[in-house]
């Protein structure tokens, strides 16, 4: 039979990834909703196809084949009750750990409950039939393709790792077109564990990107530092990464520049560590050829949309494996010296030195900032006591401190997991209770404060706690010039930014509440007042009461400070030309042209 693949792109991706993972045995049952897949498979000589009209028997056939061959087996059927007939055999396979991949056709979840023929709700299955289930959605654009590629890669990784049944619900438009002669390739995400043969590290630029991370051990830090020295690698991370190799700096200020002229964020390989990162600017600037993620959870986390491998192991195991032998170090360095990456001395510096150099250049040109969260972050960050702990509210406080240097011994945390404004105060109180020998600082906005203020009445609140409340009377995030809601001006403040609550009736609301609960309280409304209050706020000497500074600021000043920081780097000739074109044809038309050129 002539090779004729379906024009349905999700079918092409599935077939391509089956081949890439060496999965060749298929037991097919008749149907319309799985026709596009079956025709595509049977026209490719790579696959060994078997027919079984009874789905119950088909699934048991697959059990026998998988047990005997020790290889994964695909079973595929149409929608409706055909898929339910798999349950008995898949229950058997689940408990015997047999790698069966069930691919069932579907028109899509949207058809469920419409009384459309041959559509039933298969969104829930018995727990002991599939260890993982997902949908390979139909594809209309690049976003759909990314989602589909991730879904299938995740399913195949689970199938091969756990060797238990996995379900892919393959959405179809029942296309009649099968004119694709050459199967387009699809991105493959490989999974590696300790004991596996690990891939060679690609040559070229290597960047480590670290999201929120627990405090590093000395051994882990030393391994990363040695890896960076050997590979000429650069570390990009915000304060919540707690990576001391950056010496208290982050790349956020460089990434935020409107006119950036640095290759700091470009790489051939990005090694992704940690969890959610609240530094939108850095993660948004990264341009990576491919991404390797290292985490013991072994899960695909494809935020950069370039992931090709997941290493299910401790970070120390990963870096220890990829450290070069002593006799190879000199030759490896010479190979790196031949790459364009090393034409720029700042980027050859190991670990966080490249970030520090970039920061120093921008810091030297720092403009005068208005009284704001950002200005206070600049003033406070360098004055935090050694060994103290800083908790930052979402999002303005976290962003503000990421722009500036912190003492390397200060650990930083923020509730970036769920990324909500709730719980910041309770979290820092809990941490302060757990380590009474340390000083804990918390910086947060007024909405976050009032959301969680009840914890301050808890009778266990310790004296090693100091809070900076930045009160601008609203969710200032939504009035910053960078936010889409800012285009509506004052109209956005009423509901989007939730302005006018809490302090509308009395400016002393927070003072009364905190002093009555035994807090030391001070209000500040200017730079001079902040500078006067700062020494007692940051003194390493423990006081007799927890302390709270309330800074009354303007949301207009917050936005102005943010804009000031974005234009430290001056525009080059290309930037000036782009601005001229934008003014002539408009921002939207310019973006459409640039998107077309990139294709």
């Amino acid at each position: 039979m002539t090779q004729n693949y379906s024009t349905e792109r999700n079918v092409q991706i599935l077939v391509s990834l089956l081949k890439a993972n060496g999965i060749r045995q298929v037991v097919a049952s008749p149907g319309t909703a799985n026709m596009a897949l079956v025709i595509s498979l049977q026209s490719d000589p790579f696959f060994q196809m078997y027919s079984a009209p009874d789905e119950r028997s088909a699934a048991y056939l697959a059990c026998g084949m998988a047990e005997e061959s020790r290889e994964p087996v695909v079973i595929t059927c149409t929608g409706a009750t055909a898929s339910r007939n798999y349950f008995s055999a898949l229950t058997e396979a689940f408990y015997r750990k047999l790698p069966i991949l069930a691919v069932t056709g579907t028109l899509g979840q949207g058809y469920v409950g419409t009384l459309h023929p041959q559509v039933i709700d298969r969104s829930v299955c018995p727990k002991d039939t599939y260890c993982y289930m997902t949908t390979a959605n139909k594809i209309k654009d690049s976003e759909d393709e990314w989602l589909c590629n991730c879904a299938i890669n995740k399913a195949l990784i689970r199938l091969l790792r756990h060797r238990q049944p996995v379900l892919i619900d393959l959405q179809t438009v029942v296309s009649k077109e099968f004119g694709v002669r050459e199967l387009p390739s699809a991105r493959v995400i490989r999974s590696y564990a300790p004991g596996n043969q690990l891939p060679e590290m690609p040559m070229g630029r290597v960047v480590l990107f670290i999201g929120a991370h627990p405090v590093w051990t000395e051994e882990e830090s030393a391994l990363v530092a040695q890896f960076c020295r050997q590979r000429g690698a650069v570390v990009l991370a915000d304060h919540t990464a707690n990576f001391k190799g950056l010496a208290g700096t982050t790349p956020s200020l460089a990434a935020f520049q409107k006119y950036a002229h640095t290759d700091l964020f470009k790489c051939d390989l990005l090694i992704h560590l940690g969890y959610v990162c609240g530094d939108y600017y850095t993660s948004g600037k990264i341009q990576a050829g491919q991404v390797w993620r290292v985490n013991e959870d072994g899960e695909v986390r494809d935020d950069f949309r370039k992931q090709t491998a997941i290493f299910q192991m401790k970070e120390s195991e990963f870096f220890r494996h990829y450290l070069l032998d002593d006799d190879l170090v000199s030759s490896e360095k010479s190979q790196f010296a031949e790459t364009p990456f090393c034409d720029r001395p700042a980027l050859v510096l190991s670990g966080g030195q490249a970030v520090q150099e970039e920061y120093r250049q921008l810091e030297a040109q720092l403009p005068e900032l208005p009284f704001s969260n950002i200005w206070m972050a600049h003033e406070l960050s360098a004055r935090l006591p050694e060994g103290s702990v800083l908790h930052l509210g979402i999002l303005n406080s976290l962003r503000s401190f990421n722009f500036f240097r912190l003492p390397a011994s200060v650990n930083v945390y923020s509730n970036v997991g769920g990324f909500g404004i709730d719980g910041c105060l309770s979290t820092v109180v809990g941490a302060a209770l757990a380590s009474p020998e340390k000083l804990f600082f918390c910086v947060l906005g007024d909405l976050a404060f009032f959301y969680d203020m009840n914890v301050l009445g808890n009778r266990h609140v310790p004296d090693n706690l100091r809070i900076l409340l930045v009160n601008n009377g609203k969710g200032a995030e939504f009035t910053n010039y960078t936010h889409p809601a800012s285009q509506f001006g004052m109209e956005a403040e009423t509901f989007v930014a939730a302005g006018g609550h809490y302090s509308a009736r009395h400016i002393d609301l927070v003072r009364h509440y905190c002093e009555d609960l035994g807090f030391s309280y001070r209000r500040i409304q200017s730079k001079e007042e902040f500078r006067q209050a700062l020494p007692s706020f940051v003194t390493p000497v423990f006081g007799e009461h927890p302390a709270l500074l309330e800074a009354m600021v303007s949301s207009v000043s917050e936005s102005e400070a943010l804009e000031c920081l974005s234009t430290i780097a001056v525009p080059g000739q290309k930037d000036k030309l782009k601005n001229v074109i934008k003014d002539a044809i408009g921002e939207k038309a310019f973006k459409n042209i640039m998107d077309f050129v990139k294709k």
Side-chain angles (χ1 to χ4, degrees):
M1 181 178 181
T2 305
Q3 284 192 189
N4 286 293
Y5 300 101
S6 171
T7 55
E8 295 190 46
R9 181 61 183 140
N10 58 347
V11 172
Q12 296 172 5
I13 292 173
L14 177 56
V15 174
S16 177
L17 292 180
L18 289 175
K19 294 180 72 172
N21 284 280
I23 301 172
R24 62 177 64 239
Q25 298 183 99
V26 181
V27 181
S29 297
T32 301
N34 65 328
M35 177 187 69
L37 175 63
V38 171
I39 294 295
S40 300
L41 293 173
Q42 77 177 74
S43 67
D44 191 324
F46 174 83
F47 296 98
Q48 298 173 356
M49 299 283 293
Y50 304 90
S51 177
D54 184 324
E55 290 83 14
R56 293 172 301 174
S57 180
Y60 276 113
L61 280 171
C63 286
M65 294 168 66
E67 182 71 87
E68 187 64 25
S69 67
R70 306 309 301 161
E71 293 181 6
V73 180
V74 179
I75 55 176
T76 180
C77 69
T78 189
T81 56
S83 61
R84 295 273 167 86
N85 293 330
Y86 281 159
F87 281 172
S88 294
L90 291 177
T91 304
E92 178 74 14
F94 184 91
Y95 287 109
R96 287 172 59 193
K97 296 187 75 67
L98 300 175
I100 308 296
L101 173 62
V103 183
T104 55
T106 179
L107 296 180
Q109 189 66 17
Y111 283 86
V112 173
T114 65
L115 302 184
H116 192 86
Q118 300 187 45
V119 174
I120 61 175
D121 189 349
R122 294 185 281 117
S123 59
V124 177
C125 295
K127 291 182 178 180
D128 55 357
T129 51
Y130 301 109
C131 73
Y132 185 76
M133 55 189 295
T134 191
T135 299
N137 53 285
K138 63 182 179 182
I139 295 172
K140 304 181 294 298
D141 52 31
S142 60
E143 183 81 5
D144 288 340
E145 176 147 351
W146 170 65
L147 290 169
C148 180
N149 181 278
C150 280
I152 296 174
N153 268 297
K154 288 178 182 179
L156 296 183
I157 286 173
R158 294 291 186 96
L159 176 75
L160 299 172
R161 181 188 296 160
H162 299 300
R163 302 191 69 80
Q164 285 181 311
V166 165
L167 169 66
I168 295 178
D169 217 14
L170 184 66
Q171 190 175 0
T172 183
V173 296
V174 194
S175 172
K176 300 176 183 178
E177 302 296 325
F178 291 87
V180 179
R181 298 298 177 89
E182 186 173 341
L183 182 66
S185 62
R187 176 189 54 154
V188 182
I189 302 177
R190 303 290 188 189
S191 177
Y192 301 96
N196 295 159
Q197 183 175 350
L198 303 188
E200 291 292 323
M201 184 162 290
M203 293 299 299
R205 311 174 184 187
V206 180
V207 165
L208 276 63
F209 180 82
I210 310 173
H213 196 286
V215 174
W216 297 72
T217 66
E218 289 187 14
E219 179 195 14
E220 290 167 342
S221 297
L223 285 170
V224 173
Q226 188 176 358
F227 174 87
C228 290
R229 284 194 297 270
Q230 291 184 355
R231 300 279 180 176
V234 174
V235 177
L236 300 180
D238 81 337
H239 289 314
T240 65
N242 290 305
F243 183 70
K244 306 311 178 186
L246 292 172
T249 58
T250 81
S252 189
L253 189 60
F256 186 50
Q257 296 309 297
K258 184 177 181 180
Y259 305 112
H261 306 287
T262 175
D263 287 332
L264 191 64
F265 307 101
K266 298 177 181 178
C267 61
D268 297 288
L269 174 64
L270 183 76
I271 299 174
H272 185 196
L273 310 173
Y275 297 97
V276 178
C277 179
D279 182 0
Y280 292 175
Y281 306 127
T282 298
S283 58
K285 276 287 177 71
I286 287 174
Q287 300 175 44
Q290 61 175 311
V291 176
W292 287 3
R293 174 153 174 80
V294 184
N295 195 281
E296 289 183 273
D297 66 13
E299 297 291 343
V300 173
R301 312 289 189 189
D302 192 32
D303 191 42
F304 298 101
R305 306 194 177 192
K306 292 292 182 70
Q307 188 169 347
T308 58
I310 171 67
F311 295 81
Q312 188 179 20
M313 58 187 64
K314 293 179 179 179
E315 293 161 348
S316 57
E317 293 175 307
F318 174 87
F319 288 109
R320 194 175 290 111
H321 174 85
Y322 283 104
L323 286 177
L324 303 169
D325 295 333
D326 291 339
D327 58 341
L328 296 178
V329 173
S330 58
S331 63
E332 184 73 14
K333 283 184 177 178
S334 66
Q335 288 176 323
F336 270 96
E338 295 172 4
T339 68
F341 174 71
C342 291
D343 289 342
R344 301 168 179 82
L347 298 181
V348 183
L349 300 172
S350 67
Q353 288 179 284
V355 177
Q356 295 169 45
E357 180 62 27
E358 194 75 31
Y359 177 80
R360 278 193 290 268
Q361 294 178 14
L362 292 170
E363 184 185 37
Q365 307 171 66
L366 201 66
E368 181 65 28
L369 300 170
F371 183 54
S372 58
N373 198 329
I374 291 176
W375 180 85
M376 285 182 281
H378 177 257
E379 297 296 308
L380 176 59
S381 57
R383 301 282 300 275
L384 289 171
E386 294 290 332
S388 60
V389 182
L390 176 64
H391 282 243
L392 297 170
I394 299 294
L395 176 63
N396 195 24
S397 299
L398 174 61
R399 173 178 52 224
S400 298
F401 278 81
N402 270 333
F403 286 138
F404 305 112
R405 187 193 309 269
L406 287 173
S409 65
V410 173
N411 291 327
V412 183
Y413 301 94
S414 181
N415 287 350
V416 295
F419 226 93
I421 66 170
D422 49 321
C424 180
L425 279 178
S426 294
T427 302
V428 71
V429 169
L433 286 170
S435 295
E437 76 286 358
K438 298 179 183 177
L439 269 178
F440 283 80
F441 292 84
C442 179
V443 182
L444 75 171
D446 51 289
L447 291 191
F449 174 85
F450 288 112
Y451 207 113
D452 197 22
M453 65 186 294
N454 64 299
V455 74
L456 300 187
N458 189 290
R459 61 188 172 88
H460 298 290
V461 174
D463 297 335
N464 58 334
L465 175 64
R466 296 171 190 177
I467 300 166
L468 172 59
L469 165 58
V470 183
N471 192 342
N472 46 52
K474 62 180 70 71
E477 181 64 30
F478 308 102
T479 60
N480 284 333
Y481 82 100
T482 53
H483 197 279
S486 65
Q487 64 183 303
F488 300 104
M490 293 295 293
E491 292 182 22
E493 297 197 9
T494 307
F495 294 104
V496 177
H501 295 295
Y502 309 115
S503 60
R505 295 184 181 276
H506 206 296
I507 194 173
D508 286 327
L509 173 65
V510 175
R511 180 177 70 85
H512 288 312
Y513 182 72
C514 291
E515 288 184 342
D516 288 350
L517 289 173
F519 276 72
S520 170
Y521 173 89
R522 184 167 180 174
R523 181 189 301 128
I524 50 178
Q525 301 183 80
S526 67
K527 290 183 178 181
E528 183 57 34
E529 289 180 358
F530 184 83
R531 291 191 178 106
Q532 292 173 0
L534 196 55
S536 60
F537 187 69
V538 298
T539 178
V541 180
F542 282 36
E544 297 181 357
H545 306 281
L548 187 141
L549 280 182
E550 183 179 17
M552 313 301 290
V553 301
S554 161
S555 60
V556 174
S557 297
E558 297 281 12
S559 185
E560 289 176 353
L562 194 62
E563 193 163 11
C564 283
L565 285 188
S566 71
T567 54
I568 298 176
V570 297
Q573 289 302 318
K574 285 186 178 180
D575 300 313
K576 293 177 181 178
L577 180 59
K578 286 179 181 179
N579 289 337
V580 170
I581 297 173
K582 285 180 187 177
D583 291 340
I585 67 175
E587 184 82 34
K588 186 175 181 180
F590 180 80
K591 183 179 184 302
N592 290 337
I593 292 172
M594 294 304 295
D595 289 343
F596 178 78
V597 170
K598 289 177 182 178
K599 292 179 181 179

